[in-house]
Amino acid sequence: MAQKGVSLSASITVEASIVLPLFIFFFTNIMMAFNIIKMQCDMEAALHQTGNELALFAFDERCAEGTLGIEDDGVSTVSGALSVFYVKGKVESYLGEELEKGCVTDGRAGLSYLPSKIMLGNDIIDIVIDYKVHPLISLICFEEFPVEARYYGHAWTGYDISEGAAADENEEEMVYVTEHGEVYHRDINCNHLKLSIRSVSLDDIEKERSMDGSKYYPCEYCGGSISGGNVFITDYGIRYHSSVNCAGLKRKIYTVPISEVGGRRPCSGCG
């Protein structure tokens, strides 16, 4: 019994000596993972602040050129190599000692700004920082790995109105047509597109005239079997109908390029 007790005590000690270091190891690396996430958040915040400052500088520079009549000498403080050095200084100043003591491999020397393109076309500010992070203790499948932080925005310089106007001039005119209509309309609010249905006696249909002076003829869908009673007409139509639910009274309006109107003629009201 004494020998059995000694063996049990020894087995617990061996298990504790194995499990405790593993627990400490994994707990430490989990804490390091939170540190990596914090570094990424701080890096994005630094880029956001720096990118907004560059966007404002671009406005100040453009405004000074226009207001003071300064000629463009090809050297800009918010584009090219000068801006990359500015970004580098601002980001590293924002992060401070955390770069050297944290999880970034090689600290400041490990940050690469080469993919950045600042004010090189269309006044776009695209700041990219590539770097690597590492856990406190490296393991197989848990070694250092690459991370990227990015700011992408437009400088506060507005846009060229003349370019937008030129694009609008090149666009084809859009007009409005109906499913069974014989004309096309340039105004969606044209009275000819608005249905105003009213009921009249079939005996008086010969006397009725539309707003443009046209006579009314039987509808090709429901007018062939009308023998008497009341019929339905519209102010700008040329057909009378036996039913208010006739397909000829249902107006479907389509927007099409003017080149696709086919044989339709311009509307007398808005064409």
Side-chain angles (χ1 to χ4, degrees), residues 55-192:
L56 182 59
F57 290 160
F59 168 79
D60 291 340
E61 185 178 84
R62 188 71 56 84
C63 184
E65 291 175 359
T67 305
L68 303 178
I70 301 175
E71 295 183 359
D72 184 8
D73 57 2
V75 179
S76 173
T77 57
V78 291
S79 63
L82 290 178
S83 59
V84 174
F85 282 113
Y86 176 81
V87 170
K88 176 179 173 64
K90 294 292 290 185
V91 170
E92 295 178 2
S93 174
Y94 182 92
L95 296 174
E97 295 182 358
E98 185 179 359
L99 273 176
E100 301 298 336
K101 299 179 179 180
C103 56
V104 178
T105 303
D106 298 330
R108 287 180 170 82
L111 303 182
S112 173
Y113 301 83
L114 292 178
S116 300
K117 297 178 181 178
I118 303 173
M119 298 290 290
L120 296 183
N122 299 323
D123 290 351
I124 296 298
I125 299 175
D126 188 9
I127 308 172
V128 181
I129 300 180
D130 291 330
Y131 60 101
K132 291 183 178 181
V133 294
H134 60 80
L136 184 63
I137 303 174
S138 297
L139 265 183
I140 297 175
C141 299
F142 192 33
E143 300 178 347
E144 66 177 16
F145 54 91
V147 182
E148 180 181 276
R150 185 173 190 177
Y151 171 91
Y152 187 89
H154 193 285
W156 299 349
T157 53
Y159 66 96
D160 190 348
I161 298 179
S162 60
E163 291 183 1
D168 291 341
E169 291 177 359
N170 295 329
E171 289 184 2
E172 187 175 0
E173 181 185 4
M174 304 299 289
V175 295
Y176 308 97
V177 298
T178 58
E179 189 174 4
H180 304 288
E182 299 176 354
V183 299
Y184 64 85
H185 309 264
R186 286 189 164 92
D187 185 2
I188 188 63
N189 296 314
C190 177
N191 289 328
H192 291 222

